[in-house]
Amino acid sequence: VGVLQGETTAADLMRTMALAQRTMEMQWPAVTIRMCEGVLQAEPHAALANVLKCSALLQQKETKAADGVLAGLAQSAPDLPSVRMLRAQRMLEAHQYQDVVTQLQPLESSGSLTVRSYLAKAYERLGQLDQSIALTRQLRAAAPDQVAFANDLAYRLAIASPTDPKALSEIGR
């Protein structure tokens, strides 16, 4: 996959970013990184290019490089939802659960299953099981075929109410 060369137009950058998003979806992080770097040479402050590059670096377990990109994004585009999500992901990995809540609460009404899933996990780890269970129930309702959400709900209900027959019957569904 070629990187942008010579004069680039806005249309070239948009096409390259669309292709970079597709390569990320295809689990080709090295290609994604190379394409994003090409865009960043032409447009150094392109937030989406940095977001994709950071995601690809994390996929390759290059956490120090990813954290460097994320630090720049936190300065230049702190309220961008994808930046908040990346920051929350790293905070979850670092067990900074209250920071996850602070980072994601502004996005809670977005309807994103990932936002609700991260928040549910953070609330659980903070001991706020009622909030965690409420969010996990929302996840189950929104995506009833997702086994992970069913398992999360069962686990959280078992922790919160290990002897409650109503909770135990909900776990069986």
PDB file of all heavy atoms in Angstrom, residues 64-77:
ATOM      1  N   LYS A  64       3.845   2.324  24.576  1.00  0.00           N
ATOM      2  CA  LYS A  64       4.551   3.599  24.800  1.00  0.00           C
ATOM      3  C   LYS A  64       4.332   4.556  23.637  1.00  0.00           C
ATOM      4  O   LYS A  64       4.057   5.736  23.844  1.00  0.00           O
ATOM      5  CB  LYS A  64       6.044   3.369  25.035  1.00  0.00           C
ATOM      6  CG  LYS A  64       6.345   2.789  26.401  1.00  0.00           C
ATOM      7  CD  LYS A  64       7.820   2.674  26.662  1.00  0.00           C
ATOM      8  CE  LYS A  64       8.018   2.050  28.032  1.00  0.00           C
ATOM      9  NZ  LYS A  64       9.389   2.034  28.442  1.00  0.00           N
ATOM     10  N   ALA A  65       4.446   4.064  22.426  1.00  0.00           N
ATOM     11  CA  ALA A  65       4.211   4.911  21.256  1.00  0.00           C
ATOM     12  C   ALA A  65       2.748   5.364  21.220  1.00  0.00           C
ATOM     13  O   ALA A  65       2.455   6.533  20.939  1.00  0.00           O
ATOM     14  CB  ALA A  65       4.569   4.163  19.977  1.00  0.00           C
ATOM     15  N   ALA A  66       1.840   4.449  21.532  1.00  0.00           N
ATOM     16  CA  ALA A  66       0.410   4.793  21.545  1.00  0.00           C
ATOM     17  C   ALA A  66       0.127   5.854  22.598  1.00  0.00           C
ATOM     18  O   ALA A  66      -0.629   6.805  22.352  1.00  0.00           O
ATOM     19  CB  ALA A  66      -0.427   3.550  21.804  1.00  0.00           C
ATOM     20  N   ASP A  67       0.734   5.698  23.768  1.00  0.00           N
ATOM     21  CA  ASP A  67       0.516   6.682  24.832  1.00  0.00           C
ATOM     22  C   ASP A  67       1.039   8.056  24.437  1.00  0.00           C
ATOM     23  O   ASP A  67       0.462   9.075  24.802  1.00  0.00           O
ATOM     24  CB  ASP A  67       1.151   6.215  26.147  1.00  0.00           C
ATOM     25  CG  ASP A  67       0.363   5.085  26.809  1.00  0.00           C
ATOM     26  OD1 ASP A  67      -0.824   4.883  26.449  1.00  0.00           O
ATOM     27  OD2 ASP A  67       0.940   4.409  27.682  1.00  0.00           O
ATOM     28  N   GLY A  68       2.127   8.092  23.678  1.00  0.00           N
ATOM     29  CA  GLY A  68       2.642   9.375  23.179  1.00  0.00           C
ATOM     30  C   GLY A  68       1.657  10.037  22.226  1.00  0.00           C
ATOM     31  O   GLY A  68       1.388  11.242  22.333  1.00  0.00           O
ATOM     32  N   VAL A  69       1.086   9.263  21.318  1.00  0.00           N
ATOM     33  CA  VAL A  69       0.086   9.801  20.391  1.00  0.00           C
ATOM     34  C   VAL A  69      -1.148  10.249  21.173  1.00  0.00           C
ATOM     35  O   VAL A  69      -1.700  11.326  20.931  1.00  0.00           O
ATOM     36  CB  VAL A  69      -0.294   8.758  19.316  1.00  0.00           C
ATOM     37  CG1 VAL A  69      -1.454   9.242  18.452  1.00  0.00           C
ATOM     38  CG2 VAL A  69       0.919   8.418  18.449  1.00  0.00           C
ATOM     39  N   LEU A  70      -1.557   9.432  22.135  1.00  0.00           N
ATOM     40  CA  LEU A  70      -2.744   9.749  22.924  1.00  0.00           C
ATOM     41  C   LEU A  70      -2.542  11.005  23.765  1.00  0.00           C
ATOM     42  O   LEU A  70      -3.473  11.809  23.918  1.00  0.00           O
ATOM     43  CB  LEU A  70      -3.114   8.556  23.809  1.00  0.00           C
ATOM     44  CG  LEU A  70      -4.453   8.614  24.520  1.00  0.00           C
ATOM     45  CD1 LEU A  70      -5.600   8.903  23.571  1.00  0.00           C
ATOM     46  CD2 LEU A  70      -4.694   7.302  25.260  1.00  0.00           C
ATOM     47  N   ALA A  71      -1.348  11.210  24.270  1.00  0.00           N
ATOM     48  CA  ALA A  71      -1.067  12.432  25.033  1.00  0.00           C
ATOM     49  C   ALA A  71      -1.243  13.664  24.149  1.00  0.00           C
ATOM     50  O   ALA A  71      -1.805  14.683  24.580  1.00  0.00           O
ATOM     51  CB  ALA A  71       0.347  12.388  25.615  1.00  0.00           C
ATOM     52  N   GLY A  72      -0.764  13.573  22.920  1.00  0.00           N
ATOM     53  CA  GLY A  72      -0.957  14.684  21.990  1.00  0.00           C
ATOM     54  C   GLY A  72      -2.427  14.918  21.686  1.00  0.00           C
ATOM     55  O   GLY A  72      -2.893  16.055  21.630  1.00  0.00           O
ATOM     56  N   LEU A  73      -3.188  13.829  21.504  1.00  0.00           N
ATOM     57  CA  LEU A  73      -4.625  13.959  21.254  1.00  0.00           C
ATOM     58  C   LEU A  73      -5.352  14.550  22.454  1.00  0.00           C
ATOM     59  O   LEU A  73      -6.292  15.338  22.291  1.00  0.00           O
ATOM     60  CB  LEU A  73      -5.221  12.589  20.921  1.00  0.00           C
ATOM     61  CG  LEU A  73      -4.985  12.081  19.519  1.00  0.00           C
ATOM     62  CD1 LEU A  73      -5.295  10.588  19.417  1.00  0.00           C
ATOM     63  CD2 LEU A  73      -5.809  12.877  18.522  1.00  0.00           C
ATOM     64  N   ALA A  74      -4.924  14.173  23.649  1.00  0.00           N
ATOM     65  CA  ALA A  74      -5.558  14.703  24.858  1.00  0.00           C
ATOM     66  C   ALA A  74      -5.373  16.210  24.961  1.00  0.00           C
ATOM     67  O   ALA A  74      -6.206  16.910  25.539  1.00  0.00           O
ATOM     68  CB  ALA A  74      -4.996  14.004  26.095  1.00  0.00           C
ATOM     69  N   GLN A  75      -4.292  16.710  24.375  1.00  0.00           N
ATOM     70  CA  GLN A  75      -4.053  18.148  24.359  1.00  0.00           C
ATOM     71  C   GLN A  75      -4.818  18.843  23.235  1.00  0.00           C
ATOM     72  O   GLN A  75      -5.392  19.899  23.415  1.00  0.00           O
ATOM     73  CB  GLN A  75      -2.548  18.437  24.195  1.00  0.00           C
ATOM     74  CG  GLN A  75      -1.716  18.036  25.383  1.00  0.00           C
ATOM     75  CD  GLN A  75      -2.053  18.833  26.616  1.00  0.00           C
ATOM     76  OE1 GLN A  75      -2.174  20.039  26.563  1.00  0.00           O
ATOM     77  NE2 GLN A  75      -2.231  18.146  27.730  1.00  0.00           N
ATOM     78  N   SER A  76      -4.809  18.226  22.053  1.00  0.00           N
ATOM     79  CA  SER A  76      -5.372  18.900  20.874  1.00  0.00           C
ATOM     80  C   SER A  76      -6.871  18.662  20.675  1.00  0.00           C
ATOM     81  O   SER A  76      -7.550  19.515  20.113  1.00  0.00           O
ATOM     82  CB  SER A  76      -4.624  18.461  19.611  1.00  0.00           C
ATOM     83  OG  SER A  76      -4.821  17.079  19.373  1.00  0.00           O
ATOM     84  N   ALA A  77      -7.383  17.521  21.129  1.00  0.00           N
ATOM     85  CA  ALA A  77      -8.797  17.197  20.897  1.00  0.00           C
ATOM     86  C   ALA A  77      -9.375  16.392  22.064  1.00  0.00           C
ATOM     87  O   ALA A  77      -9.876  15.286  21.887  1.00  0.00           O
ATOM     88  CB  ALA A  77      -8.936  16.416  19.596  1.00  0.00           C
TER      89      ALA A  77
END
